Amino acid sequence: MKISELFSGIDQNDYGTMITCLGGVEKKYSKDSYILMAGDTVDYVGVILSGKVKIIKEDFFGTRNIIAELGEGDLFGEAYACAGVGISNETVQASSDCSIMMIKFKKLITTCSNTCAFHSALIANMLKIVAKKNIDMSDKMEIISKRTTRDKIMTYLMNEAEKNHSDQFEISFSRNELADYLCVERSAMSRELGKMQREGLIHYHKNHFSLLEAQ
Amino acid sequence: MKISELFSGIDQNDYGTMITCLGGVEKKYSKDSYILMAGDTVDYVGVILSGKVKIIKEDFFGTRNIIAELGEGDLFGEAYACAGVGISNETVQASSDCSIMMIKFKKLITTCSNTCAFHSALIANMLKIVAKKNIDMSDKMEIISKRTTRDKIMTYLMNEAEKNHSDQFEISFSRNELADYLCVERSAMSRELGKMQREGLIHYHKNHFSLLEAQ
DNA sequence: CACTTTCTGTTGCTTTTGCAACAAACGGAG
DNA sequence: CTCCGTTTGTTGCAAAAGCAACAGAAAGTG
């Protein structure tokens, strides 16, 4: 079992005490069942112990839009719980049979009377998780706020190059996923990638990309 | 002076003690000077006491891109500090003469030995601020991930209507700002708005908008 | 009030995009 | 190897978007 970042730095021997102290409840959901519906009150954080879940946002036309897919160790609901908003506008559905640990937010951030060692760690971890998501979103925002497909691709590739400290790197997205991530048409992206390669800007083969003509 | 959300719920009489305990340092910056450069290490949170600052992200072409403008009471650097990333890829520049309170992140989240009452409040506030930003970004992302100008406009307007619990409302953006927010061309947006009005989807006059033919 | 600057809407033109449909390449499963 | 589903690249076409330039309206400014 993959351990959630939420519990990092906490001694595994303390898990039992911790879960009890936090009043964590484990629930099972079968494939396709709803774990949380848009409009529901969220005063807890969900930790995925096993299985996968989809985060869904519904359009004003009623179109279901998959925002993200989360797996073992990932959290959901933290943003709503932490912000004190209380109401989610996202729906969470089980992509597979899964088990979820529900932890009341109040208990999570309130240092208890027994001064358990892990409370401050939990809080720091939570802060870190939320802040990281923040940075990730901000990075993605930089990309999709570009107005042309080419600029989106280029920004994405430059960021990847920087992450990898090299102008050659593998990307982990399939073409379809990449198009989704960049919020463009797959075919338009494909066309543009081809053009960029012909113009000598980039070179790629399968998932290996190189940025050419530095600068 | 507007009080930062970071200090909400804390007795003003405790401010002196708190700032001392946190080791907060007030610094003055003159207009256009740089407060933080992309690439700098960020182990502190900046609280704007007075004045305004711009958050800037630089393109791979070197184009400066203004992400946000912050004013009194706003924070910057929290995401990088909280995430433990340490290095900012954003630049912060003074839009006007301003004074900033710099607070070491370590001190902010570590409950001190004197068990000051405000420490836990600070942490909860920080978590709330970061989480809220998270939700805001996620909302904006929903909008700009739409592929056509019309869908972006429509999603934005529907969200505003929901926020205002009415299908009539005022928007706070100028047309220019709105176009920037939606990441589209101002002229294309204007054209599309006109079209939508002619088609009887919406009605607007200046900054007053109405959504017609409910659903 | 006259003058200037900013904001908003409009339009012609070119390029880009979305969409749909198809073909080639790939990757298992039997 | 063959068959079949999936992924990727390609293309024609219509619609949309970007760009640039201009004009009228609105909002300061002296």
Side-chain angles (χ1 to χ4, degrees):
Chain A
M1 187 184 113
K2 198 172 138 197
I3 289 172
S4 171
E5 224 183 306
L6 180 59
F7 304 136
S8 95
I10 294 172
D11 193 319
Q12 268 192 261
N13 297 322
D14 292 347
Y15 277 19
T17 333
M18 177 178 71
I19 300 294
T20 314
C21 174
L22 293 176
V25 180
E26 187 175 343
K27 291 194 183 173
K28 306 259 181 200
Y29 293 87
S30 54
K31 185 171 190 250
D32 295 331
S33 62
Y34 291 98
I35 299 169
L36 172 63
M37 300 282 281
D40 284 0
T41 306
V42 192
D43 58 351
Y44 62 86
V45 173
V47 184
I48 304 174
L49 300 177
S50 71
K52 291 189 171 189
V53 309
K54 289 194 265 276
I55 310 293
I56 299 167
K57 218 162 194 173
E58 204 153 307
D59 233 34
F60 52 91
F61 292 127
T63 313
R64 288 160 48 101
N65 224 305
I66 299 174
I67 306 283
E69 187 156 52
L70 307 181
E72 227 173 279
D74 288 331
L75 301 188
F76 62 83
E78 359 74 63
Y80 295 101
C82 295
V85 178
I87 295 183
S88 166
N89 58 46
E90 297 172 347
T91 293
V92 182
Q93 186 181 23
S95 300
S96 69
D97 288 0
C98 58
S99 79
I100 311 285
M101 169 77 69
M102 307 290 203
I103 303 175
K104 290 272 178 203
F105 178 67
K106 263 273 169 62
K107 296 219 176 170
L108 195 64
I109 63 146
T110 317
T111 37
C112 70
S113 46
N114 340 345
T115 56
C116 307
F118 47 75
H119 260 110
S120 61
L122 279 177
I123 297 170
N125 286 345
M126 183 62 101
L127 194 51
K128 194 170 185 172
I129 291 170
V130 177
K132 257 194 192 152
K133 220 173 219 177
N134 219 304
I135 294 178
D136 284 349
M137 277 209 259
S138 156
D139 285 350
K140 176 164 178 178
M141 200 100 90
E142 185 193 355
I143 293 175
I144 64 175
S145 60
K146 302 282 171 186
R147 293 212 276 261
T148 66
T149 299
R150 171 170 298 211
D151 280 354
K152 287 178 190 170
I153 295 173
M154 210 54 199
T155 307
Y156 169 73
L157 292 178
M158 298 288 297
N159 284 354
E160 286 304 298
E162 201 159 329
K163 267 191 216 159
N164 290 278
H165 308 290
S166 161
D167 49 4
Q168 295 207 16
F169 48 89
E170 302 286 324
I171 68 171
S172 54
F173 287 134
S174 74
R175 293 294 190 270
N176 245 316
E177 291 168 334
L178 181 57
D180 274 355
Y181 183 79
L182 302 181
C183 299
V184 295
E185 257 302 293
R186 185 190 61 80
S187 73
M189 181 184 80
S190 201
R191 177 156 38 190
E192 199 61 34
L193 278 172
K195 231 191 267 181
M196 288 165 79
Q197 179 150 235
R198 259 172 277 129
E199 290 178 20
L201 261 167
I202 61 173
H203 180 267
Y204 61 92
H205 178 67
K206 308 230 186 195
N207 285 0
H208 185 87
F209 282 75
S210 325
L211 295 177
L212 309 178
E213 14 183 347
Q215 106 99 303
Chain B
M1 189 185 112
K2 197 171 139 196
I3 288 172
S4 172
E5 223 183 308
L6 181 58
F7 304 136
S8 95
I10 294 173
D11 193 319
Q12 269 192 259
N13 297 322
D14 291 349
Y15 277 19
T17 332
M18 177 179 70
I19 301 294
T20 313
C21 175
L22 295 176
V25 180
E26 187 175 342
K27 289 195 185 173
K28 306 261 180 196
Y29 292 88
S30 54
K31 183 169 191 246
D32 295 331
S33 62
Y34 291 98
I35 299 168
L36 171 63
M37 301 281 282
D40 284 0
T41 307
V42 192
D43 58 352
Y44 62 87
V45 175
V47 183
I48 304 174
L49 300 177
S50 71
K52 292 188 168 186
V53 310
K54 290 193 264 275
I55 310 294
I56 299 166
K57 218 162 193 172
E58 204 152 308
D59 232 35
F60 51 92
F61 292 127
T63 312
R64 289 160 48 102
N65 225 303
I66 298 174
I67 307 284
E69 186 156 54
L70 306 180
E72 229 174 277
D74 289 330
L75 301 188
F76 63 82
E78 358 73 62
Y80 296 100
C82 296
V85 177
I87 294 183
S88 166
N89 57 48
E90 296 172 348
T91 293
V92 182
Q93 186 181 23
S95 300
S96 68
D97 288 0
C98 58
S99 79
I100 311 285
M101 169 78 68
M102 307 290 205
I103 302 174
K104 289 272 176 201
F105 177 69
K106 263 274 169 63
K107 297 220 175 169
L108 196 63
I109 63 146
T110 318
T111 37
C112 69
S113 45
N114 340 347
T115 54
C116 308
F118 47 76
H119 260 111
S120 61
L122 278 177
I123 296 169
N125 287 344
M126 182 65 99
L127 193 51
K128 196 170 186 175
I129 291 170
V130 177
K132 256 193 192 153
K133 219 173 221 177
N134 219 305
I135 294 179
D136 284 349
M137 276 208 262
S138 156
D139 285 350
K140 176 164 180 180
M141 201 100 91
E142 185 192 356
I143 294 174
I144 62 176
S145 61
K146 302 283 171 186
R147 293 212 275 261
T148 67
T149 299
R150 171 171 298 213
D151 281 354
K152 287 178 190 171
I153 294 174
M154 211 53 197
T155 306
Y156 169 73
L157 291 179
M158 299 288 296
N159 284 354
E160 286 304 298
E162 201 160 326
K163 266 191 216 159
N164 290 278
H165 308 290
S166 162
D167 49 5
Q168 294 206 16
F169 48 88
E170 302 285 324
I171 68 170
S172 54
F173 287 134
S174 74
R175 294 293 190 273
N176 245 316
E177 290 167 336
L178 182 57
D180 274 355
Y181 182 78
L182 302 180
C183 299
V184 295
E185 258 301 293
R186 185 190 60 81
S187 74
M189 181 184 80
S190 201
R191 178 156 39 193
E192 199 61 33
L193 278 172
K195 233 191 266 180
M196 289 164 79
Q197 179 150 233
R198 258 172 279 130
E199 290 176 21
L201 261 168
I202 62 173
H203 180 268
Y204 61 93
H205 178 68
K206 308 229 185 194
N207 285 0
H208 186 88
F209 282 75
S210 324
L211 295 176
L212 309 177
E213 18 181 342
Q215 108 107 287

